[in-house]
Amino acid sequence: MRKVWVCVGGAVFFLSCLVLHSRFCGSLVSRTFSFDISWREKGPLFRLDLGWPKNSEYFSGATFCVAVDSLNGLVYVAQRGENIPKVLVFTEDGYFLRAWNHTVDTPHGMFVSSTPYEQSVWITDVGSGSYGHTVKKYNSLGDLVQVLGTPGKKGTGLNPLQFDNPAELHVDDTGEIYIVDGDGGLNNRLVKLSQDFMILWLRGENGTEPAKFNIPHSVTLDTVGRVWVADRGNKRLQVFDKDTGEWLGAWNNCFTEEGPSAVRFTPDGKYLIVAQLNLSRLSVLVAPPPGSIGDCSVISTIQLADQVLPHLLEVDRKTGAVYVAEIGAKQVQKFVPWHSRTPAFGA
Ligand SMILES: *[C@@H]1O[C@H](CO)[C@@H](O)[C@H](O)[C@H]1NC(C)=O
Ligand SMILES: *[C@@H]1O[C@H](CO)[C@@H](O)[C@H](O)[C@H]1NC(C)=O
Ligand SMILES: *[C@@H]1O[C@H](CO)[C@@H](O)[C@H](O)[C@H]1NC(C)=O
């Protein structure tokens, strides 16, 4: 057992390393919330970047989601609350740039798709006001450029397409869009849209059987053409073929305590990072090879303090940094790969 006191900028942080059942286990206490990182095999994969953001007072509401423009080094955060900016834009170094709140009612999920020609910030909005029940696309300055769904009106329709509490979306490099609809509303479905917003395929209805959902809460793609959905209420991840929508399998065994609320891949495609909201836990899972997905295996966990409540997260495709939107702690935290050069305790 080792205990180290680290002093940074006048604040004192406690760092300990305990040897538990697995060979290694580490724990840190940060400025606001303590957390533990435990791991098997290769040592820890991530550490908290206490230098991000530079000024946390910009978090003035409940921070529901975060998205990263890795091409331009920008981090977008959406938060809920009265009379506050709803979308905050930071640099990846943690400097605040700008904010907006027009046409954003109750943000839930977010995704940035960025090419050298266009930066797009997509937001799912679960509000019941005049901008709610939509999936909206903004440019990086906050100008509204596209609205999907029927603003202010929840529904199950497909023509025109309607949403009820759309939870999250993923836009791939070709511009095709995967939307999980939704967060406990009328719909429990995964919809794939073409670049020009035509429905290519749709899976799901309410239920526990394969390819049915109960609160499909988060969606992402892997590098081999599979769509991964955090089917939170059914306590599983479900996997589909990206081209056909065919069901490829499900993982239940890692989520007996609580369903996953967020799912993402590391940039090398080797691991998944999953959040469990009420457990305040992040887990690193081994990504399966192409084909059958087999069983779920956790190689590492980051146990956040009670009531931090990690809701959704994003991984920077360039640096591998993980940004976690914590609705309980009302902040976004940045975890960086253990061997990256960013200082662990800020500067
Ligand atoms: C928008 O944000 C500003 C602060 O940036 C705040 O003063 C204003 O009340 C907000 N508007 C709404 C409708 O929340
Ligand atoms: C979906 O089914 C579950 C139980 O299977 C039920 O609790 C829930 O209310 C249903 N949701 C909808 C939208 O029908
Ligand atoms: C978390 O706990 C709250 C309050 O007990 C509950 O309403 C919610 O459904 C839980 N969420 C999950 C994902 O289990």
Side-chain angles (χ1 to χ4, degrees), residues 44-290:
L45 298 172
F46 295 97
R47 54 193 169 75
L48 181 62
D49 180 351
L50 285 171
W52 199 97
K54 302 294 177 203
N55 292 298
S56 54
E57 65 264 22
Y58 290 106
F59 301 137
S60 47
T63 45
F64 267 73
C65 49
V66 55
V68 180
D69 177 348
S70 53
L71 212 55
N72 297 290
L74 299 177
V75 181
Y76 295 80
V77 173
Q79 58 180 5
R80 296 185 192 171
E82 297 295 321
N83 301 318
I84 58 166
K86 299 278 174 67
V87 180
L88 308 170
V89 190
F90 296 91
T91 68
E92 63 183 345
D93 300 331
Y95 293 100
F96 174 77
L97 292 180
R98 55 183 175 267
W100 75 81
N101 54 11
H102 62 87
T103 73
V104 185
D105 184 338
T106 310
H108 185 277
M110 218 179 192
F111 188 84
V112 167
S113 73
S114 202
T115 68
Y117 313 103
E118 190 186 30
Q119 300 171 37
S120 303
V121 186
W122 291 85
I123 296 176
T124 71
D125 197 322
V126 301
S128 48
S130 51
Y131 301 106
H133 299 298
T134 54
V135 177
K136 283 170 287 203
K137 177 184 175 180
Y138 297 84
N139 67 21
S140 69
L141 298 175
D143 301 317
L144 183 61
V145 289
Q146 181 71 44
V147 180
L148 306 179
T150 317
K153 215 165 157 218
K154 66 182 175 189
T156 60
L158 295 179
N159 188 18
L161 184 57
Q162 289 182 301
F163 302 107
D164 187 1
N165 289 353
E168 206 189 43
L169 78 159
H170 178 95
V171 183
D172 74 11
D173 293 337
T174 66
E176 290 174 333
I177 303 169
Y178 303 80
I179 300 170
V180 277
D181 174 29
D183 184 35
L186 296 165
N187 303 318
N188 280 281
R189 59 194 185 190
L190 165 64
V191 188
K192 177 175 181 180
L193 304 179
S194 62
Q195 288 176 357
D196 51 356
F197 316 122
M198 306 299 289
I199 296 175
L200 294 178
W201 53 255
L202 177 150
R203 294 309 305 257
E205 55 185 90
N206 191 30
T208 56
E209 296 91 343
K212 296 189 177 183
F213 300 107
N214 181 9
I215 309 187
H217 196 264
S218 178
V219 60
T220 196
L221 258 61
D222 67 15
T223 52
V224 296
R226 294 176 298 204
V227 187
W228 292 72
V229 175
D231 184 11
R232 194 177 80 181
N234 285 328
K235 297 186 178 177
R236 64 186 176 187
L237 289 173
Q238 293 208 75
V239 188
F240 300 85
D241 182 278
K242 135 183 165 13
D243 296 318
T244 63
E246 181 198 352
W247 183 81
L248 299 176
W251 277 352
N252 307 64
N253 56 304
C254 290
F255 309 108
T256 50
E257 287 172 272
E258 187 190 3
S261 64
V263 58
R264 287 294 186 267
F265 282 83
T266 53
D268 58 11
K270 287 188 185 163
Y271 304 107
L272 297 92
I273 312 218
V274 169
Q276 285 163 293
L277 182 74
N278 285 341
L279 289 173
S280 289
R281 184 183 298 160
L282 308 175
S283 298
V284 183
L285 318 181
V286 182

